[in-house]
Amino acid sequence: MSVVEILMVEDNPADARLTEEALKEGLLCNRLHLARDGVEAMKFLRREEPFRDAPRPDVVLLDLNLPRKDGREVLAEIKTDPSLKNIPVVVLTTSEAEQDIVKSYALHANCYVTKPVDLQRFIEIVRQIETFWLQIVKLPQSDAAV
Amino acid sequence: MTSGPNSQRVQSDSALPAEPVTQETKTLDRESNERLRDFAEAASDWFWEMGPDLRLTYLSERIRDVLGLGPEHFLGKRREDYLDGTSDLEAFRAHLDDLYNRRPFRNFVFPIEKPGAECPLIVQINGKPFYDADGSFAGYRGTGTDLTSLVRSERKLERTSALLRTTLEHMNHGISVTDADLNLVLWNDDFVDLLEFPKDFVGPHGRPFADFIRYNAERGEYGPGDIEEQVRERVELAKRFEPHCFQRTRPDGVVLEIVGVPLPAGGFVTTYTDVTERAQHQAKLKEQADKMAELVEDLQRSNSELEQFAYVASHDLQEPLRMVASYCQLLQRRYHDTLDQDANEFIGFAVDGAERMQQLINALLSYSRVGRSDRPRRCVSLQDAAEMTCRDLQKAIEDAGATVDIDGLPNVCGDGVELRQLLQNLIANAIKFRADAPPEVRLTATRDGSDWTIAVADNGIGIEPEYAERIFLIFQRLHARDAYPGTGIGLSVCKKIVERHGGQLRVESDGKSGSTFLFNLPASDKAAS
């Protein structure tokens, strides 16, 4: 099985590390890439400097509240870019607010997950994401580079 | 009446002292007498004659029509025999004085009783003395007129005009009436005073409207400009005879309300009212209303800022909290075996505290979220909502061995999501705060005007009346957390939901045998969607 490339867009290093730790307990062999804000995320996705050699991610874990360019804008750009729109995006956030949910779905987020306080549950959720998006759903390959 | 030198004496039915006459003059006299008698009988006045002793010697028949008494009633009597003069003694004396001094008199007016009439008649007589051929005083001849109806009309007119005058002067409004030619014909002192015209400006018989305009123009009331032009403009405008109403502020600040109503025959009746107090009052009211609107706006802004703050604060608190809780758990997960029992216990407390704080934050978030949605109000079936809620609470209901009886709840107008949350909180509370017996919850509705009152009654532990208000405050709890777990937000959320729907939530309980939570919601007669 090939390595699963995951792009996490998250400005909080503690949060990023927690997700990384949760992924370590996951089932798949994965490689986590971190973008600290929306601008960096878009550069990574479009393989602009300094991400010239970045892989195309198999899934994007996106936080909504980000510096510079926030998660909603990133989501909108991904979903309107023909070369990126097939990458599944999982919106990971602490906000349960309906507004966020509604907006994210309006922008075609593939999945919306509220990060729970409880670590065990978080680990389970990350596992479910892996299983669902990376194993069950067969996505069209639109980018030959992968 | 004309009378020639030969027709000074009138022959009538009543015998007048006859003089010896020749045959020639007899014929002439008879013709003349007949003419005079015809005149006398046709006239509406009557004629009288008295002798040198001032006793009546003749009275024309007309008197019978007027007084109801014939001439025979008066003949041979003097004035003082049938008049007592008490109505105006002075005038009566002057009249008698005239008679005894053989002076002609005019317009002696006196009242005289008419048999069967309610009021005496008012009559007026004129008379002149006449003399014999030899120049000796022979008596009086004269006429009489019934003035009763004339006098009565005059008195009525006087009373009416006095009443009009009194009314005009006591109406606390200025008033002016102009005729069709725009001459002032009727007014009162207030008109002169309120418009600040000089006292004698109007004159006793009124004045053309244009003069008042000119006076105003000259004192600069209409601003700068050609005075004659200003007068002409205003007179032209007034001649349209259209109703008008406007306010004028005098230089001293007095505000006048001027209302002109055209009269059917042309002209205006115009009232002038000092509305200074009213205008000041209105200005003050407007000022207060503006201030109030400003306060309301401030309050709304501060409320929405507060809600925004609560939302943002609770949302932003989640992130660091999650870090604390998760890393504690990660420590526990990875190093459980290498840590001693105390360390593991401490981590347990930290995780527990973090979890509780998250519950509180979530509670706060859900509280601040009530009313933040832009879902439209719709017709909601409370029956369906309650049944759905029971399915959601199925596990809690089964665990407690509870029965929930939902009895024909109505459709109401509101936010379905919030109303479901309301019912869920109330039903969950009813089960949670149970007594020893299995919980029994009963939901009923009664119609109250345009509202429905919904009751959620239970057989639980009840609430002491002294706490009936406190339980609706945010984070207020009546029981230790280990006895009845919870954040103390549920009823605050319920209260906020009900109040946002225009209703009120209250509790009835004697503190022993259960509680009944009651709230009212606007009815919706439409079918639930």
Side-chain angles (χ1 to χ4, degrees), chain B residues 396-405 427-442 457-461:
Chain B
I397 292 171
E398 278 170 12
D399 289 352
T403 53
V404 181
D405 184 7
I427 296 171
N429 270 1
I431 295 167
K432 182 162 85 177
F433 295 100
R434 57 175 293 182
D436 294 335
E440 285 170 19
V441 188
R442 192 173 153 76
D458 63 50
N459 61 343
I461 56 172

Side-chain angles (χ1 to χ4, degrees), chain A residues 6 10 15 20 30 52 66 74-75 78 84 87 89 92 95 106-107 112 120 126 131-132 134 144:
Chain A
I6 299 173
E10 171 65 68
D15 218 334
E20 195 184 335
N30 58 60
R52 184 66 66 191
L66 293 169
V74 172
L75 189 55
I78 292 173
L84 301 176
I87 301 175
V89 177
L92 273 183
S95 170
L107 295 172
Y112 184 98
Q120 184 57 43
V126 171
T131 314
F132 188 71
L134 305 179

Side-chain angles (χ1 to χ4, degrees), chain A residues 43-102:
Chain A
K43 279 184 178 168
F44 184 96
L45 287 166
R46 288 175 177 151
R47 291 171 185 155
E48 290 167 10
E49 287 301 340
F51 305 106
R52 184 66 66 191
D53 302 320
R56 177 187 167 96
D58 295 297
V59 65
V60 176
L61 303 182
L62 179 68
D63 188 42
L64 280 186
N65 299 307
L66 293 169
R68 296 214 280 176
K69 183 178 281 183
D70 83 2
R72 295 162 192 83
E73 292 171 83
V74 172
L75 189 55
E77 282 187 33
I78 292 173
K79 291 302 166 188
T80 51
D81 185 329
S83 67
L84 301 176
K85 67 178 180 188
N86 287 332
I87 301 175
V89 177
V90 177
V91 173
L92 273 183
T93 179
T94 40
S95 170
E96 281 184 15
E98 280 177 337
Q99 284 178 350
D100 287 339
I101 297 172
V102 170

Side-chain angles (χ1 to χ4, degrees), chain B residues 153-171 186-188:
Chain B
S153 320
E154 264 175 17
R155 284 186 187 158
K156 199 168 164 189
L157 200 61
E158 271 168 29
R159 275 201 303 274
T160 309
S161 82
L163 191 65
L164 180 63
R165 178 66 23 211
T166 316
T167 308
L168 288 184
E169 291 304 341
H170 289 86
M171 62 191 293
L186 187 69
W187 67 96
N188 63 3

Side-chain angles (χ1 to χ4, degrees), chain A residues 14-15 17-18 21 25 65 94-95 97-98 115-120 123, chain B residues 311 315 318-319 322-323 325-327 329-330 333-334 355 358 369 373 375:
Chain A
D15 218 334
R17 177 64 191 271
L18 198 65
E21 293 299 325
E25 303 200 9
N65 299 307
T94 40
S95 170
E98 280 177 337
K115 293 180 274 190
V117 164
D118 186 77
L119 180 70
Q120 184 57 43
I123 290 169
Chain B
Y311 170 73
H315 176 260
Q318 299 260 30
E319 196 64 41
R322 203 172 69 85
M323 292 302 104
S326 298
Y327 278 101
Q329 286 173 312
L330 196 59
R333 190 183 180 89
R334 296 271 167 88
E355 272 174 359
Q358 201 209 17
R369 218 180 277 153
S373 109
R375 286 186 298 269

